[in-house]
Amino acid sequence: MSSLFNKIINNKIECRIFENSNYIEILSKESDAQENYIRIGKLKECFRVEMVHRNDVVSICETRGMEQAEIVAAILALNTYEKKPQDENIALIREYIKNDKYEEAVHIINSVCEQISYKIYEENAQGLSLVQNNDLSYTLSYMGKIVMENMNGPRAFSVLYAYCRDLEYLKNWYSNNLDILEGLIEYDLLETIYLGFY
């Protein structure tokens, strides 16, 4: 594995990497359990990036080059292994929605998610949409694909916020690392992987 993986994770997480002729396995250094890890399979014509949980293997994507596989593995490692601080805005949004203060909740979402396309109460083919169903539950979709459904109001708005925040983080991260990533991987693929839509 080259230094590209380490450049991308940029000391945000520590990983143990095991490599043989068939696989590269990437595990969190903080975990003794080796049941959850990321794996790059070395195939004849390509590389396959996978998430492994015990005996369950989920194929994320196949790439022609090792550099692209390393980028995908690094994004998965950051999303899976990086400790994220508790976000007080989530509790605040839930409280606002419980008290029918929708404008205040949306104001928080807008203040954190400046670059993200999202719509509330209508479909959004370019990003996230939070739609209220006939039974008053909510469904969150991403480019038409259902992310979560049957949520109550407080949960729905806090989940929308969390997804917007994560996308905002990824857009900024991608921009800040464009010198490393340009020409190797498209932002849309990273977004899909980072949000877990594989």
Side-chain angles (χ1 to χ4, degrees):
M1 191 123 120
S2 74
S3 62
L4 180 61
F5 180 85
N6 290 322
K7 278 183 187 176
I8 292 170
I9 64 170
N10 194 21
N11 298 319
K12 291 183 176 162
I13 55 173
E14 291 187 48
C15 295
R16 293 179 288 160
I17 299 174
F18 302 97
E19 186 169 357
N20 62 36
S21 60
N22 297 321
Y23 294 106
I24 299 170
E25 295 177 346
I26 304 158
L27 295 86
S28 170
K29 230 179 197 176
E30 295 193 8
S31 174
D32 289 334
Q34 296 187 14
E35 56 187 27
N36 298 308
Y37 58 94
I38 299 152
R39 179 168 73 187
I40 300 174
K42 302 172 186 177
L43 307 174
K44 277 186 178 181
E45 303 281 323
C46 64
F47 298 90
R48 179 180 298 136
V49 183
E50 303 168 326
M51 290 287 292
V52 180
H53 175 69
R54 295 187 181 144
N55 293 328
D56 186 28
V57 178
V58 177
S59 180
I60 306 303
C61 71
E62 290 185 359
T63 67
R64 291 245 177 248
M66 182 59 171
E67 287 180 324
Q68 189 179 30
E70 284 186 50
I71 293 168
V72 171
I75 288 295
L76 290 170
L78 285 169
N79 199 25
T80 306
Y81 303 145
E82 186 176 18
K83 290 183 180 175
K84 295 174 177 106
Q86 189 164 352
D87 190 333
E88 295 173 7
N89 282 336
I90 290 177
L92 193 55
I93 287 170
R94 285 179 183 224
E95 193 61 34
Y96 280 147
I97 298 302
K98 281 180 190 173
N99 294 311
D100 293 326
K101 296 181 177 181
Y102 291 89
E103 285 185 30
E104 287 88 341
V106 171
H107 178 74
I108 292 172
I109 296 169
N110 286 337
S111 70
V112 174
C113 308
E114 298 169 359
Q115 305 176 67
I116 306 308
S117 171
Y118 76 91
K119 293 183 180 180
I120 299 174
Y121 301 119
E122 59 183 289
E123 294 296 330
N124 181 11
Q126 282 76 44
L128 292 161
S129 59
L130 185 63
V131 178
Q132 192 170 29
N133 304 313
N134 291 337
D135 64 359
L136 301 182
S137 69
Y138 287 86
T139 298
L140 179 67
S141 299
Y142 172 75
M143 294 187 175
K145 193 187 247 184
I146 293 177
V147 177
M148 292 182 89
E149 54 189 341
N150 299 321
M151 295 180 288
N152 64 25
R155 175 146 174 77
F157 279 81
S158 61
V159 168
L160 172 64
Y161 167 82
Y163 273 89
C164 285
R165 179 199 59 205
D166 288 351
L167 281 171
E168 188 78 20
Y169 168 83
L170 184 64
K171 277 189 183 274
N172 290 330
W173 179 87
Y174 186 79
S175 294
N176 292 336
N177 290 284
L178 202 53
D179 58 323
I180 300 170
L181 304 171
E182 193 166 27
L184 295 175
I185 195 161
E186 296 297 319
Y187 174 78
D188 292 345
L189 175 60
L190 285 182
E191 187 175 87
T192 301
I193 290 166
Y194 190 80
L195 293 176
F197 300 127
Y198 30 80

